Amino acid sequence: MKGITKRELLDVLEKKTLKKLAGAYELPVRANAGQATLIEAIASKRSIKIEEILPEMGFSELKAACDVKGLPITGKKQDLLKRLALTRDEAGKAKKLLSDKTLNIPI
């Protein structure tokens, strides 16, 4: 199964999460920017990687992302993060992500 794309991931994010990401990366968007504008700004910024977006996602957003990829949506937040990370294991990215202290997921 191919991993989730950045655009697919952004499409399931709530507006508050998108605003948080845009602010953290100092993207030039208006304070009252719409969801589509925020998605476009974040998607076009190549330095923002999926591995940096996943830890910022809430439980309901992670469930929606798993659902998009046809993955099980049951379990704890860490289970959902692990499933999404494992689908990205094309070049060993999942191991790096899973060993990251911010996710605190044992391999």
Side-chain angles (χ1 to χ4, degrees):
M1 172 183 291
K2 187 172 180 181
I4 194 164
T5 65
K6 186 175 177 182
R7 178 68 68 165
E8 289 172 329
L9 196 61
L10 293 173
D11 284 340
V12 301
L13 294 182
E14 296 173 4
K15 189 173 179 180
K16 68 177 183 170
T17 306
L18 293 167
K19 280 186 170 185
K20 183 178 175 182
L21 286 168
Y25 288 94
E26 299 177 357
L27 299 178
V29 293
R30 296 184 332 257
N32 63 345
Q35 191 162 355
T37 303
L38 292 166
I39 288 171
E40 190 56 42
I42 296 167
S44 63
K45 185 78 170 174
R46 289 185 178 174
S47 63
I48 303 175
K49 305 293 181 201
I50 290 176
E51 291 79 9
E52 298 166 349
I53 298 171
L54 285 173
E56 301 299 322
M57 295 175 68
F59 184 72
S60 62
E61 295 167 326
L62 289 166
K63 283 178 71 171
C66 284
D67 192 38
V68 165
K69 293 314 288 181
L71 299 169
I73 60 170
T74 58
K76 298 178 182 177
K77 182 176 179 176
Q78 291 182 339
D79 298 331
L80 301 176
L81 282 167
K82 188 174 183 178
R83 283 185 205 124
L84 288 168
L86 289 175
T87 63
R88 303 248 339 128
D89 197 17
E90 292 122 30
K93 292 179 184 176
K95 273 195 172 177
K96 180 178 182 277
L97 177 63
L98 292 174
S99 64
D100 186 359
K101 291 179 184 175
T102 60
L103 295 182
N104 195 20
I105 303 171
I107 300 177

